Amino acid sequence: MALSFCGNDDHFNSYNVTNGVLNNGCFVDALNLVPHVFLLFITFPILFIGWGSQSSKVQIHHNTWLHFPGHNLRWILTFSLLFVHVCEFAEGIVSNKMMQTNHLHLFMPAFMGFIAATTSVVYYHNIETSNFPKLLLVLFIYWVLAFVTKSIKLWKFAAYSVGPQHLRFCITALLVMLYGLLMAVEINVIRVRKYVFFANPQKVKPPEDLQDLGVRFLQPFVNLLSKATYWWMNPLIMGAHKRPIELKKIGKLPIAMRALTNYLRLKDAYEDQRTAEDPDRSPSIWRSMYRAFGRPILLSSTFRYLADLLGFAGPLCISGIVKYLDPQNSRYFGVYFMSSTELLQNTSVLAVLLFLALVLQRTFLQASYYVTIETGINLRGALLAMIYNKMLRLSTSNMSMGEMTLGQINNLVAIETNQLMWFLFLCPNLWAMPVQIVMGVILLYYLLGPSALVGASVIVLLAPVQYLIATKLADTQKSSLEHSTDRLKKTSEILKGIKLLKLYAWENIFCDSVEETRGKELTSLKTFAFFTSMSIFMNAAIPIAAVLATFVMHHFLNEKGPTPSEAFAALALFHILVTPLFLLSTVVRFAVKALVSVQKLGEFLQSDEIGDDSWRNGDMSVSFEAGKKPMGMTKAINRKQPMRYQMDNYEQPTRRQMRPTETEDVAVKVSNGFFTWGSNLSTLSNINIRIPSGQLTMIVGQVGCGKSSLLLAMLGEMQTIEGRTVLFFLLLTFISSVGLLLVTTKTFNHKQTNHAGAFVKRDVLHEARFKQRMLELTDTNNTAYLFLSAANRWLEVRTDYLGAVIVLTAAGASIWSLEYGLPSGGLVGLGLTYALTVTNYLNWVVRNLADLEVQMAAVKKVNSFLTTESENYEGSMDTSQVPENWPQNGEIKIQDLCVRYDPMLKPVLKHVNAYIEPGQKVGICGRTGSGKSSLSLAFFNMVDIFEGKIVIDGIDICKLPLQTLRSRLSIILQDPVLFSGSIRFNLDPERTCTDDRLWEALEIAQLKNMVKALPGGLDAVVTEGGENFSVGQRQLFCLARAFVRKSSILIMDEATASIDMATENILQKVVMTAFADRTVVTIAHRVHTILTADLVIVMKRGNILEYDKPETLLEQEDGMFASFVKADM
């Protein structure tokens, strides 16, 4: 066949211009080549030569700085232009095949237009990121020339009665419109920024985020192509392939995605619902979420609709490829003109359209996923900030009365916020799935007629089975989660109290409890795995059942089976239909969970705050000048962050100025105060106090008398029933075990810590700092989450595109082989139908392999933990060799004892020698680090005794099995440890003692009357960590626990540190009486408690410095013990 630009057909002279050059179709097509050649001729040298950057003297991410307005519109129009050029090229190729000779003018302008459009967007990207706006003139001229030449072509088509019924006319009209719009975009850029023709162009500063090189999450700033394909992630992905990603590598979040920004957005939407007419109205969290995050959800839903609609292109293209209709024939200008519908009847064109539809469908789907995930993460960050801010303002009475527990707030942080985040992830499915189902049924009806309704009915009828399985899955997942939570709670308690458990030899008791819970958890997990398998089976079986029913009915109604094109298109459509029906139950379940979560969040946000009712009967006046010397106020400035994003002024409480009458020289004044923790009974009654300013005031009293409550009442943490509290100045340093908690590097633990010590952190000098830290931790967590989401999208986009290429290859090979009569139409349909599923399999194979690699890291950690050397529980002596009543006397011989905590560390006890007679009361004292506690641990073989020995009643303790040794001794530690359960369980977890013995121990510990007053008595509830008792009461329970065991040797390691002196003196006497015939070794917290001891050991740097009776040591006035006594008096 001859090769010619205008062709060389026998019946028509393509070069005839007797009617004018514009009436020659080949000339008009040649004229349309001019703009494309112009652009390529001008831009190629510029692109190859390159240019430097004039973007800014400020160091920024140059490749992501988008300068020009209409950026996204330009990219959308350019992508549309490329698609239309592909259609124009395909139409030209098909039309050319109908001609006698080759007519290059039918497809060459389209090909050159595609090259020029691609070049234009590359050229534009370089102009924009390098800030050379004057070069926009080239693009402007190109759009004008292309618009004019295409308009001439469209005008001549209309003159020759070529209309919308012809595909080439429609394509040309679309090109005229697109070139016109791109020309308008260019004019708008030049007009707004005053570029090209203007003398003083507008100066544009880069965004604040791009000036901060610490911001590395660039998705909001890159061009549309990079947004769609996550191209900007390439350097990170390539780097991660070589070495693991460190936290500092992922940098900071952009300002718009930080927790503070989203918190303020959500809080404004929440607070705006309160009106002056109805200030007590409860704002709607749903409405707040919609106002703050509704726009991205609508955008995600739009992407999802487009993806779902494009998803139906696959079955339709398969149907068209298998069906293959013959084309019609019509000619104008001496060349073939294809009808508007004829293009969709060409198998090659359908294969290309199938490929493009798959690429677009997966691009829109991944864009929808990303937007919903980003919005969900932003919502979660905002909710965490709201919960944290509310947590710091919660009334302490809510906590003490059980109206709001630590567990509930932890659930809000860890569960409810995640439930809402996942609901947002699935939210677009709520309205996308019904459309998908309706469209699928309509197309099935179009292909197969009424028989398609039978197949749809099968899916609908089997949907309840899927729903039942999904419900069972949810129930078993909930059950396994409950067991898992219970197991983690028990494990956490074990780890917190592991020292006590080992010292009391209770490891097996608590391990058995954990293993019992783990057994229940495993049963739930096995059930969950079974229903998961059932769900996967049903998901695969339902489309097959629906197709069989449909085909049987089709044969019954039409007395013949469906054609291959109908059969395989229907099979693909049924596969599409099953997914939304399967997901529907999941989405509904998450929607119900979201409703519950919102209700819980609403109740929490509406709960009482400090000041809500605590100050209604009094006034609060704070003056930082009254009652103290002026303190220098230092303002911390983080120069690495913009000032407006710091927390220095983040919701600080306002303070009114002092009234002239408030001139009394007092810091706190309480008049006739009655305070409660929420019950009708007063915890503090008839309180009248005046605390003078500038003086030290001490509050003393017995355990449980209300010392801490009084301080909290002054701070407004208790509910005021009656009276008046006025604070002129108050600076309380509330030192307790709660206030000494450290802040961790995880967001959840940070919130747990700060919730426990919320009233400490309400100090105006520290609240902003803790909030800032919380926001930083939340942002760090969200940054990792967003990078993970972007990495998943990066992977899925590429596997999706690879799957589309596989489908295109399969379609092309099938079409090519059909010409040689190799496969039948049915086999082509079968191959293409399953090729469509390759994309999903590619995604899951790659992701599962990545997940497997991640999970294997956990296996590695577990294996490493299992290989860690543990204690030698066996010992060299058999249990049967140890007398049943050992140790009976309580004699202790310490011979040349050397102790260390690790073979790599220095010894903490060095050649210690001592002898303790049976029944002797021994006191051990010394400065911090002298080795007192190490000696007490050595009695239980808890440290490495690498030299010397301890002999108790004739037996070297290192030879004894650890369980035997530790179960025969008793110890009371400095830190009181209680476990969740009952009082009975905390005193006697082995359940070997009678009630009388337990009550006796409680009476010795001064707790009998208090426990009797509790509901349930010995079976009264002890909350986690014993938080429903004061620190002093917890210590007394630990004393009672030691009395229950009644060992012949008792070690007291600073056991009375949390008890008032009066109670301590009573207990010391009780101990001396109850253990009169037993050996008691006391590590002294206050040396006056060991003045009545039989023997005192003074230690220094791991050695015994003094060793004698206390009265003898006191006679040595220059001795260390005498100096300790003097300092303690």
Side-chain angles (χ1 to χ4, degrees), residues 142-203:
Y142 170 65
W143 303 132
V144 171
L145 290 175
F147 176 75
V148 170
T149 55
K150 282 297 177 188
S151 297
I152 292 172
K153 186 175 182 178
L154 187 65
W155 165 51
K156 298 313 293 183
F157 280 170
Y160 279 80
S161 301
V162 178
Q165 71 273 20
H166 299 101
L167 181 61
R168 201 174 304 169
F169 177 89
C170 298
I171 290 174
T172 305
L174 283 173
L175 288 172
V176 170
M177 183 174 66
L178 288 171
Y179 283 131
L181 289 172
L182 284 164
M183 183 173 62
V185 168
E186 218 66 74
I187 292 171
N188 184 59
V189 173
I190 294 171
R191 179 188 63 84
V192 172
R193 293 289 172 82
K194 303 188 184 306
Y195 291 152
V196 183
F197 305 111
F198 296 89
N200 298 312
Q202 187 183 72
K203 292 183 180 180

Side-chain angles (χ1 to χ4, degrees), residues 803-1003:
V805 170
I806 292 172
V807 172
L808 178 63
T809 305
S814 301
I815 294 166
W816 174 78
S817 59
L818 269 175
E819 295 180 4
Y820 298 91
L822 295 179
S824 64
L827 289 176
V828 172
L830 181 67
L832 291 179
T833 300
Y834 284 101
L836 284 175
T837 64
V838 167
T839 300
N840 293 329
Y841 290 126
L842 278 174
N843 276 332
W844 283 109
V845 165
V846 176
R847 290 188 67 173
N848 284 340
L849 285 174
D851 286 342
L852 177 63
E853 185 177 354
V854 171
Q855 298 303 327
M856 288 305 292
V859 176
K860 183 179 178 182
K861 289 179 181 178
V862 171
N863 187 55
S864 173
F865 180 74
L866 291 176
T867 56
T868 303
E869 186 179 357
S870 59
E871 290 183 295
N872 180 16
Y873 274 79
E874 300 301 322
S876 58
M877 287 182 67
D878 190 75
T879 308
S880 59
Q881 296 177 272
V882 183
E884 189 174 342
N885 58 352
W886 181 92
Q888 184 177 11
N889 302 319
E891 179 191 49
I892 302 174
K893 295 178 181 178
I894 304 174
Q895 300 174 353
D896 202 31
L897 183 68
C898 295
V899 164
R900 61 192 174 193
Y901 283 93
D902 188 86
M904 303 299 294
L905 299 177
K906 294 180 180 179
V908 291
L909 293 180
K910 307 164 191 174
H911 304 286
V912 173
N913 291 276
Y915 175 69
I916 301 174
E917 297 177 2
Q920 203 170 26
K921 308 300 180 287
V922 180
I924 303 177
C925 62
R927 300 187 189 279
T928 302
S930 60
K932 308 184 298 297
S933 296
S934 299
L935 181 58
S936 69
L937 293 177
F939 291 135
F940 293 83
N941 203 2
M942 285 279 285
V943 287
D944 180 18
I945 301 176
F946 67 94
E947 192 175 331
K949 58 184 177 180
I950 298 177
V951 179
I952 297 179
D953 279 6
I955 298 179
D956 184 352
I957 63 169
C958 290
K959 297 180 179 179
L960 288 170
L962 290 182
Q963 189 78 13
T964 303
L965 168 66
R966 294 170 183 173
S967 63
R968 305 290 180 90
L969 307 179
S970 293
I971 187 170
I972 305 170
L973 297 174
Q974 177 180 1
D975 298 320
V977 178
L978 294 183
F979 302 97
S980 57
S982 63
I983 292 175
R984 183 193 302 277
F985 174 77
N986 275 277
L987 296 180
D988 179 31
E990 297 167 299
R991 302 181 184 276
T992 57
C993 299
T994 63
D995 284 8
D996 290 340
R997 187 168 172 182
L998 296 179
W999 283 117
E1000 179 188 359
L1002 289 172
E1003 187 173 14

Side-chain angles (χ1 to χ4, degrees), residues 320-589:
I321 290 171
V322 177
K323 197 171 184 181
Y324 188 74
L325 298 175
D326 291 328
Q328 299 176 353
N329 201 335
S330 57
R331 290 174 180 267
Y332 298 90
F333 298 102
V335 294
Y336 176 77
F337 270 68
M338 185 182 291
S339 69
S340 296
T341 58
E342 198 174 338
L343 186 72
L344 300 178
Q345 298 166 0
N346 184 282
T347 53
S348 299
V349 171
L350 285 173
V352 174
L353 288 178
L354 174 60
F355 169 74
L356 294 175
L358 283 174
V359 168
L360 284 174
Q361 188 250 344
R362 305 306 292 193
T363 300
F364 283 130
L365 187 63
Q366 297 302 332
S368 175
Y369 288 159
Y370 171 77
V371 173
T372 51
I373 290 172
E374 179 191 305
T375 308
I377 292 170
N378 288 340
L379 171 66
R380 177 173 166 268
L383 288 173
L384 288 176
M386 284 190 79
I387 292 170
Y388 189 86
N389 189 61
K390 179 71 178 182
M391 188 175 72
L392 290 181
R393 305 202 182 292
L394 272 182
S395 171
T396 308
S397 60
N398 284 338
M399 321 304 297
S400 61
M401 296 309 297
E403 296 175 15
M404 190 68 61
T405 65
L406 177 62
Q408 287 174 315
I409 295 180
N410 285 341
N411 284 341
L412 287 175
V413 171
I415 297 176
E416 312 306 341
T417 55
N418 282 330
Q419 294 282 19
L420 287 173
M421 180 177 71
W422 276 100
F423 173 71
L424 275 195
F425 291 174
L426 298 171
C427 195
N429 290 291
L430 275 177
W431 36 83
M433 286 190 302
V435 175
Q436 201 174 11
I437 293 169
V438 170
M439 282 292 296
V441 172
I442 291 173
L443 288 175
L444 280 169
Y445 187 83
Y446 168 75
L447 283 172
L448 300 175
S451 58
L453 299 178
V454 176
S457 301
V458 170
I459 294 178
V460 172
L461 289 173
L462 289 176
V465 179
Q466 280 185 302
Y467 181 78
L468 178 64
I469 293 173
T471 304
K472 292 291 185 183
L473 272 173
D475 292 341
T476 53
Q477 188 177 29
K478 181 181 178 183
S479 174
S480 62
L481 183 63
E482 288 174 352
H483 292 313
S484 175
T485 303
D486 189 26
R487 175 177 58 82
L488 289 173
K489 177 186 173 184
K490 290 180 178 179
T491 305
S492 177
E493 284 196 312
I494 287 175
L495 293 175
K496 288 178 181 177
I498 189 65
K499 184 177 178 181
L500 177 75
L501 296 184
K502 283 181 169 293
L503 291 170
Y504 271 77
W506 287 345
E507 301 101 309
N508 292 337
I509 298 171
F510 282 79
C511 284
D512 291 343
S513 176
V514 171
E515 288 175 2
E516 180 186 358
T517 306
R518 177 60 177 166
K520 295 176 182 176
E521 184 184 4
L522 284 174
T523 303
S524 295
L525 289 173
K526 289 176 183 176
T527 309
F528 181 79
F530 170 75
F531 283 116
T532 300
S533 303
M534 287 292 296
S535 176
I536 294 171
F537 169 76
M538 290 296 293
N539 205 30
I542 287 177
I544 298 173
V547 167
L548 285 175
T550 301
F551 289 172
V552 169
M553 183 57 66
H554 189 278
H555 191 277
F556 177 77
L557 294 176
N558 301 298
E559 297 184 353
K560 63 176 183 179
T563 64
S565 63
E566 293 170 341
F568 291 106
L571 181 60
L573 285 170
F574 277 121
H575 273 289
I576 291 175
L577 270 181
V578 168
T579 303
L581 288 171
F582 177 73
L583 282 177
L584 188 61
S585 59
T586 304
V587 175
V588 170
R589 192 169 69 249

Side-chain angles (χ1 to χ4, degrees), residues 102-168:
N102 280 323
H103 286 247
L104 297 182
H105 70 98
L106 292 178
F107 56 86
M108 183 176 282
F111 176 75
M112 294 298 291
F114 183 88
I115 299 297
T118 305
T119 304
S120 74
V121 78
V122 174
Y123 178 75
Y124 164 77
H125 174 72
N126 282 277
I127 291 173
E128 186 176 40
T129 55
S130 301
N131 198 17
F132 266 84
K134 290 183 179 180
L135 295 177
L136 287 173
L137 180 62
V138 175
L139 285 178
F140 176 69
I141 295 173
Y142 170 65
W143 303 132
V144 171
L145 290 175
F147 176 75
V148 170
T149 55
K150 282 297 177 188
S151 297
I152 292 172
K153 186 175 182 178
L154 187 65
W155 165 51
K156 298 313 293 183
F157 280 170
Y160 279 80
S161 301
V162 178
Q165 71 273 20
H166 299 101
L167 181 61
R168 201 174 304 169

Side-chain angles (χ1 to χ4, degrees), residues 788-807:
L788 177 62
S789 172
N792 281 331
R793 303 288 78 74
W794 182 93
L795 172 64
E796 292 191 7
V797 161
R798 278 147 186 80
T799 52
D800 288 343
Y801 291 172
L802 179 59
V805 170
I806 292 172
V807 172

Side-chain angles (χ1 to χ4, degrees), residues 597-746:
S597 297
V598 165
Q599 182 182 355
K600 291 180 179 179
L601 277 170
E603 292 172 355
F604 174 73
L605 294 174
Q606 291 299 312
S607 57
D608 289 339
E609 299 182 0
I610 53 168
D612 280 1
D613 57 15
S614 300
W615 304 107
R616 284 175 186 165
N617 299 314
D619 295 324
M620 177 179 177
S621 303
V622 181
S623 169
F624 281 94
E625 288 73 37
K628 69 179 182 73
K629 296 179 180 179
M631 293 177 62
M633 299 296 290
T634 303
K635 184 175 183 180
I637 299 176
N638 186 349
R639 298 189 182 276
K640 294 183 180 179
Q641 293 182 346
M643 281 301 298
R644 64 191 182 96
Y645 305 111
Q646 293 189 44
M647 297 290 294
D648 293 341
N649 299 312
Y650 176 52
E651 292 203 354
Q652 291 301 327
T654 57
R655 303 174 182 81
R656 67 174 178 82
Q657 297 296 319
M658 294 199 38
R659 294 193 291 265
T661 56
E662 296 168 347
T663 56
E664 299 178 80
D665 192 21
V666 294
V668 183
K669 179 181 179 182
V670 181
S671 303
N672 195 31
F674 289 79
F675 304 94
T676 180
W677 286 119
S679 62
N680 293 325
L681 298 176
S682 298
T683 304
L684 300 174
S685 304
N686 196 25
I687 304 297
N688 292 278
I689 57 171
R690 291 160 54 91
I691 296 180
S693 18
Q695 299 181 27
L696 174 64
T697 301
M698 301 184 68
I699 302 174
V700 296
Q702 293 185 347
V703 173
C705 67
K707 303 183 296 298
S708 300
S709 296
L710 178 58
L711 289 174
L712 292 172
M714 295 178 192
L715 288 169
E717 300 288 344
M718 295 184 69
Q719 295 180 12
T720 305
I721 299 175
E722 185 181 340
R724 176 185 175 89
T725 305
V726 181
L727 278 75
F728 295 99
F729 170 76
L730 181 60
L731 182 63
L732 290 178
T733 304
F734 199 103
I735 300 176
S736 67
S737 60
V738 178
L740 293 176
L741 290 171
L742 296 175
V743 179
T744 63
T745 57
K746 290 176 184 176

